[in-house]
């Protein structure tokens, strides 16, 4: 509980086991509390190492609303730096990405190297003899860590390690995504499409792993598939063998393993892949890299569909970053990825598949965004402030690895996210 | 006998009107069977096989796109955008041959949907092939001014 305008926020009254109060989607005091507890002290996804492959490369990112620079220095080491001159606070990096030999603050000319070190201060004698510019390097979040190139930062000196945060079942999903490359590496370097909406950042997190909405929100996409193939996809209906999973610590997953590994479909897809020369080469390289069993498992599972709490979605071909702007405004950056060491045809087909659903002119994502805007409008009704997340509660199961799971359309994943959100918001912290 | 410029202007104005009036299928009929339609993302030019686009596709892709919008279940266009666009700054390059013209034109769209008014602008490049007394679009590339920005909703025709 915290003090806010003299009022305490009672999270027990806002988040129940099977329902969430609408206030959590637009109250400024709750948003401010999230910025501190989740987007500052917690682990926040900053970017993927492959976005900045060369010395001097940089991109911009955010810890919540705090601007960052993600840069690589001449020695090849990456850095997460606050985009703020240590003199009088001006941002020092204006471009979203590029290559540079350092960052000059154009306000008074202070110059920082790409590792954040303060290199030059104009007319430094004006600061007196004792001036120690080594104390005025660009500030950095104290903890930065990565898993398979996904770089996270935390502004807290203490807390669980990144590997504790991204627990085993979540890492296993990231592995499915990266192991689609026979070299085990994804490349986040083919641009982004970006969207924005009037609504809270958690609406996107809830939706990314929602297996209930596709048959309704995405009717137009499935109609298109039906017109093209003569078959209506049934993987998101109430009897589908796709599973929905709470991986713990707020991470969640639509799990296609059972569905995708089942024969006869699985066998037919592996055969189909090898009908083209590039598909045959890819299959062979995967078997050489991982052995037949793992290679076929990875190819058939086909990546992942998951949230890494709080701001990363790894889904299909893409890596998606969620950026809270204010309680009622969110930006989402969606980046399709390439696989290292695969035929060009496969990577191009990944880009086309991504665009078909997720680009601003694609067949799906903006129908989701429309729903976020509609939820945001409906939240204004105070007669019944509750959003119901009860679906499948009675049939939720716990798997051997400790993850909770249910049928595709169940709200296991959202309950998992909210359970974790509440535990963070209620934790004892120093202020 | 109308001049080339008059014919091109008439054609682009007609295309603009069809887009403004959400006449999805009629608009798609302006495109040639071997057309390419491209709306770049982030940058104005690159290899679309190696970089993502807002839209990149052939006639078949375009057909799926407009049929999806026309069906009325694409909720990002329910209700549909109301809009009018101005097409201007038309530049016609000398035809590489008698059958194909390269044309550039700026556009500015004022769009209203659900009480919010937005303006979108850009520059389009066309390759037009003559057909009877009019044209077909063989190639259209739309460079939005906002091509690297987070977009709220640009699901209407561009």
């Amino acid at each position: 509980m915290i003090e806010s305008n003299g009022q305490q926020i009672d999270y027990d009254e806002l988040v129940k086991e099977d329902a969430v109060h609408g206030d959590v989607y637009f109250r400024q005091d709750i948003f401010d509390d999230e910025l501190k507890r989740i987007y500052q002290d917690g682990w926040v996804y900053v970017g993927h190492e492959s976005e900045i492959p060369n010395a001097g490369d940089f991109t911009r990112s955010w810890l919540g609303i705090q601007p960052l620079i993600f840069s690589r220095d001449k020695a090849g080491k990456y850095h997460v730096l606050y985009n703020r001159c240590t003199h009088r606070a001006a941002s020092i990096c204006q471009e979203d990405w590029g290559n540079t030999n350092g960052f000059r603050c154009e306000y008074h000319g202070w110059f920082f190297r790409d590792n954040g070190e303060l290199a030059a201060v104009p007319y430094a004698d004006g600061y007196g003899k004792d001036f120690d510019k080594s104390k005025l390097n660009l500030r950095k979040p104290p903890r930065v860590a990565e898993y398979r190139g996904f770089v996270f930062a935390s502004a807290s000196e203490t807390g669980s390690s990144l590997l504790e945060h991204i627990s085993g079942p979540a890492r296993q999903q990231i592995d499915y995504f990266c192991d689609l490359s026979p070299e085990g590496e994804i490349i986040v370097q083919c641009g982004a499409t970006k969207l924005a909406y009037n609504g809270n950042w958690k609406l996107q997190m809830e939706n990314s792993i929602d297996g209930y909405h596709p048959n309704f929100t995405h009717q137009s996409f499935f109609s298109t598939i039906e017109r093209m193939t003569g078959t209506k996809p049934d993987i998101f209906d109430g009897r589908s063998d796709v599973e929905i999973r709470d991986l713990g610590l707020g991470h969640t997953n639509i799990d296609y393993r059972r569905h995708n590994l089942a024969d006869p479909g699985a066998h037919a897809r592996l055969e189909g892949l090898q009908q083209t020369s590039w598909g045959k080469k890819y299959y062979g390289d995967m078997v050489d890299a991982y052995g037949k069993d793992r290679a076929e498992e990875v190819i058939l599972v086909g990546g992942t569909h998951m949230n890494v709490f709080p701001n990363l979605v790894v889904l299909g071909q893409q890596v998606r970053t969620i950026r809270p702007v204010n309680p009622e405004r969110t930006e989402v950056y969606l980046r399709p990825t390439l696989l290292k060491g695969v035929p060009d045809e496969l990577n191009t087909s990944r880009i086309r598949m991504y665009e078909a659903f997720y680009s601003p002119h694609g067949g799906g994502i903006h129908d989701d965004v429309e729903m976020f805007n509609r939820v945001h409008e409906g939240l204004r009704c105070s007669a019944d402030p509750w959003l119901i997340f009860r679906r499948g509660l009675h049939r939720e199961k716990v798997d051997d690895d400790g993850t909770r799971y249910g049928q595709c359309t169940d709200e296991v994943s959202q309950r998992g996210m909210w359970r974790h959100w509440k535990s963070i918001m209620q934790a004892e912290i120093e202020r | 006998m109308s001049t080339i410029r008059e014919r091109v202007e008439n054609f682009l104005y007609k295309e603009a009107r069809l887009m403004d009036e959400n006449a999805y299928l009629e608009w798609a009929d302006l495109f040639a069977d071997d057309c390419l339609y491209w709306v770049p993302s982030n940058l104005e030019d690159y290899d679309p096989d190696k970089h993502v686009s807002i839209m990149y596709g052939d006639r078949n892709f375009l057909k799926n796109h407009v049929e999806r919008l026309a069906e009325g279940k694409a909720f990002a266009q329910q209700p549909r955008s109301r809009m009018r666009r101005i097409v201007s700054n038309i530049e016609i390059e000398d035809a590489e041959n008698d059958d194909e013209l390269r044309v550039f034109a700026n556009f500015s769209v004022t769009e209203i949907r659900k009480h919010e008014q937005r303006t979108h602008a850009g520059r389009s490049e066309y390759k037009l092939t003559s057909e009877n007394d009019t044209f077909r679009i063989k190639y259209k590339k739309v460079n939005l001014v906002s091509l690297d920005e987070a977009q709220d909703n640009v699901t209407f025709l561009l």
Side-chain angles (χ1 to χ4, degrees):
Chain A
M1 298 207 205
I2 66 155
E3 298 290 327
S4 173
N5 302 324
Q7 302 285 314
Q8 287 185 326
I9 303 174
D10 186 347
Y11 288 105
D12 278 332
E13 287 301 312
L14 294 169
V15 178
K16 309 284 188 189
E17 186 186 19
D18 62 349
V20 170
H21 194 284
D23 278 9
V24 300
Y25 299 94
F26 59 80
R27 257 171 58 183
Q28 183 70 47
D29 57 344
I30 293 175
F31 184 77
D32 292 343
D33 204 14
E34 287 177 327
L35 289 182
K36 161 76 178 145
R37 291 164 174 269
I38 296 171
Y39 281 99
Q40 184 175 311
D41 292 352
W43 285 107
V44 179
Y45 176 64
V46 169
H48 194 272
E49 247 209 281
S50 63
E51 289 174 69
I52 48 168
N54 305 309
D57 284 352
F58 69 88
T59 66
R60 285 200 298 188
S61 189
W62 289 267
L63 267 190
I65 59 169
Q66 302 188 52
L68 299 176
I69 305 167
F70 182 38
S71 75
R72 192 176 293 277
D73 70 18
K74 280 168 196 59
K77 186 175 185 306
Y78 63 79
H79 298 270
V80 178
L81 312 165
Y82 285 109
N83 187 6
R84 177 197 187 279
C85 181
T86 50
H87 174 220
R88 276 169 44 193
S91 62
I92 55 167
C93 175
Q94 314 308 319
E95 304 295 329
D96 283 340
W97 49 271
N99 185 281
T100 182
N101 59 5
F103 302 98
R104 183 179 303 283
C105 177
E106 274 109 18
Y107 195 2
H108 302 95
W110 287 33
F111 182 77
F112 302 86
R113 293 190 216 284
D114 47 20
N115 61 6
E117 192 182 306
L118 177 56
V121 173
Y123 327 133
D125 57 346
Y127 286 99
K129 279 205 299 288
D130 299 334
F131 182 56
D132 179 2
K133 66 179 175 21
S134 73
K135 293 207 167 76
L136 289 167
N137 296 332
L138 290 179
R139 304 306 183 204
K140 300 178 179 182
R143 293 192 301 159
V144 174
E146 66 159 299
Y147 183 70
R148 299 202 72 159
F150 292 88
V151 177
F152 297 76
S154 167
S156 171
E157 303 270 0
T158 58
S160 57
S161 71
L162 181 67
L163 290 191
E164 287 165 340
H165 172 61
I166 312 177
S167 54
R171 290 203 297 275
Q172 185 185 29
Q173 291 298 322
I174 295 175
D175 291 344
Y176 277 123
F177 187 73
C178 298
D179 287 350
L180 278 171
S181 152
E183 297 182 30
E185 287 184 42
I186 58 154
I187 305 170
V188 188
Q189 245 178 59
C190 57
T193 63
K194 307 174 184 178
L195 62 87
Y197 61 90
N198 292 327
N200 191 266
W201 64 277
K202 297 185 292 298
L203 292 172
Q204 172 68 92
M205 290 305 273
E206 286 172 353
N207 168 265
S208 295
I209 38 67
D210 183 307
Y212 193 17
H213 80 291
N215 278 0
F216 310 98
T217 303
H218 299 306
Q219 282 179 55
S220 72
F221 185 76
F222 290 128
S223 293
T224 305
I225 302 279
E226 195 176 355
R227 276 194 295 274
M228 286 166 69
T229 65
T231 313
K232 194 171 181 216
D234 58 0
I235 58 167
F236 294 112
D237 73 23
R239 292 172 304 282
S240 165
D241 56 0
V242 171
E243 292 164 338
I244 207 89
R245 222 168 257 278
D246 163 15
L247 303 173
L249 300 177
H251 316 309
T252 50
N253 170 221
I254 299 181
D255 187 351
Y256 301 105
R257 281 179 294 182
R258 184 187 299 270
H259 181 83
N260 284 1
L261 293 170
D263 271 326
H267 189 73
R269 283 194 295 125
L270 287 174
E271 293 273 299
L273 174 66
Q274 295 172 79
Q275 294 308 304
T276 59
S277 59
W278 63 264
K280 203 175 171 89
K281 177 172 185 341
Y282 173 62
Y283 176 84
D285 290 347
M286 287 291 285
V287 170
D288 288 347
Y290 299 111
K292 188 166 184 290
D293 288 353
R294 173 68 179 170
E296 291 192 345
E297 180 193 353
V298 166
I299 291 169
L300 288 170
V301 170
T304 185
H305 189 142
M306 75 179 306
N307 281 355
V308 179
F309 190 88
N311 70 325
L312 170 64
V313 181
V314 186
L315 194 175
Q317 305 80 21
Q318 81 195 259
V319 170
R320 185 187 298 183
T321 314
I322 292 158
R323 179 189 168 209
V325 176
N326 65 47
E328 303 180 62
R329 184 77 177 166
T330 305
E331 291 192 356
V332 186
Y333 302 156
L334 303 94
R335 296 180 173 91
T337 65
L338 306 178
L339 302 173
K340 194 170 180 186
V342 306
D344 288 345
E345 290 91 339
L346 176 54
N347 276 333
T348 297
S349 80
R350 283 170 69 86
I351 295 174
R352 295 288 97 84
M353 282 170 71
Y354 167 87
E355 289 163 354
F357 193 91
Y358 295 101
S359 86
H361 253 192
I365 189 89
H366 274 276
D367 293 330
D368 289 314
V369 174
E370 173 68 11
M371 297 309 151
F372 307 162
N373 286 308
R374 293 183 187 187
V375 172
H376 192 64
E377 185 178 11
L379 284 171
R380 290 299 169 191
C381 300
S382 58
D384 175 4
W386 294 97
L387 289 82
I388 304 168
F389 290 98
R390 186 186 303 154
R391 192 175 166 80
L393 185 59
H394 63 289
R395 58 186 182 190
E396 207 171 278
K397 285 176 275 194
V398 179
D399 216 337
D400 296 339
D401 61 1
T403 61
R404 297 175 195 233
Y405 69 105
Q407 201 269 339
C408 177
T409 62
D410 290 349
E411 285 156 339
V412 179
S413 46
Q414 288 92 354
R415 284 193 293 275
M417 182 189 104
W418 281 110
R419 198 179 300 116
H420 182 66
W421 184 88
K422 183 176 169 181
S423 76
I424 296 178
M425 302 309 279
Q426 289 184 316
E428 292 290 330
I429 58 168
E430 285 179 36
R431 290 196 165 262
Chain B
M1 187 66 185
S2 47
T3 64
I4 288 278
R5 169 165 282 274
E6 284 166 346
R7 288 174 58 212
V8 167
E9 284 179 0
N10 286 341
F11 180 77
L12 296 186
Y13 296 160
K14 178 183 177 186
E15 193 215 0
R17 174 168 47 79
L18 294 176
M19 289 190 282
D20 286 347
E21 295 174 1
N22 296 307
Y24 305 112
L25 304 178
E26 253 187 285
W27 173 72
D29 281 342
L30 301 179
F31 285 76
D33 288 341
D34 58 347
C35 71
L36 190 61
Y37 176 58
W38 183 18
V39 186
S41 185
N42 312 123
L43 300 162
E44 293 202 343
D45 203 27
Y46 50 78
D47 178 354
D49 283 347
K50 298 192 177 344
H51 187 107
V52 69
S53 296
I54 290 170
M55 181 140 172
Y56 181 80
D58 58 12
R59 169 89 205 175
N60 209 21
F61 193 91
L62 199 61
K63 177 173 168 287
N64 287 330
H65 180 56
V66 295
E67 283 179 354
R68 190 181 74 81
L69 291 169
E71 191 188 26
K73 292 179 187 166
F75 302 118
Q77 279 297 310
Q78 189 208 65
R80 288 174 177 171
S81 297
R82 283 179 60 85
M83 62 199 144
R84 286 294 169 190
R85 74 193 74 197
I86 307 294
V87 176
S88 183
N89 303 57
I90 297 170
E91 296 179 52
I92 303 171
E93 281 196 0
D94 288 338
E96 289 161 19
N97 53 56
D98 287 346
D99 300 330
E100 191 171 296
L101 284 176
R102 192 161 178 228
V103 176
F104 296 88
N106 289 4
F107 65 90
S108 174
V109 196
T110 300
E111 180 236 352
I112 293 189
R113 184 172 175 273
K114 294 175 88 170
H115 319 297
E116 277 194 53
Q117 180 168 314
R118 296 192 171 91
T119 303
H120 316 267
R123 182 165 175 80
S124 302
E125 175 186 350
Y126 296 87
K127 283 175 188 157
L128 303 177
T129 55
S130 283
E131 191 177 286
N132 302 324
D133 207 22
T134 180
F135 297 101
R136 288 269 193 144
I137 303 169
K138 200 171 171 189
Y139 176 83
K140 182 178 182 184
K141 179 181 173 188
V142 182
N143 276 329
L144 288 164
V145 171
S146 57
L147 84 182
D148 197 28
E149 294 299 317
Q151 311 270 3
D152 274 76
N153 185 339
V154 284
T155 50
F156 47 86
L157 298 178
L158 284 170

